[in-house]
Amino acid sequence: QAPRAPPKKKKGQDARPQRYFRIPFVRPDGNSTQKGWWFAHFDGQWIARQMELHPDKDPVCLVAGKDDMEMCELSLEETGLSRKRGAEILPREFEDEWSKHYKGPEYVRAAPKK
């Protein structure tokens, strides 16, 4: 019997998975150490939204296509985030934080390239 062919992708199935991450960071600040959070939303291999939450500063919210020069330039694979235990979060967790801090227009996912 011939081996089965791999299952075909269904129409509408996501070719670019949406993945969300939260990473703590520590920044020395004079006499104390400031702790904060770095959030990232990856659309496939590339970052779509990025947010930094600092305890004593305004949040920094960045969107691909507008803030590219200030955003993470590495692909998801290059960051190693998908292998970092506890880093990946649910979409809802990211969206809850994003909606608290981002004051711009609603995020709309880019259309797939043909």
Side-chain angles (χ1 to χ4, degrees), residues 17-21 40-44 76 81-83 88-89:
Q18 306 300 295
R19 296 182 71 185
Y20 304 84
F21 299 89
H41 164 206
F42 282 83
D43 181 357
L76 177 56
L81 285 170
S82 57
R83 296 180 298 279
E88 192 157 5
I89 60 174

Side-chain angles (χ1 to χ4, degrees), residues 49-80:
R49 294 181 286 172
Q50 178 178 317
M51 179 171 53
E52 293 174 29
L53 300 182
H54 304 264
D56 58 346
K57 294 183 186 174
D58 288 337
V60 177
C61 299
L62 306 170
V63 180
K66 184 178 132 228
D67 305 305
D68 293 338
M69 299 304 285
E70 301 168 61
M71 295 179 78
C72 174
E73 296 176 7
L74 301 175
S75 70
L76 177 56
E77 185 61 31
E78 290 169 328
T79 66

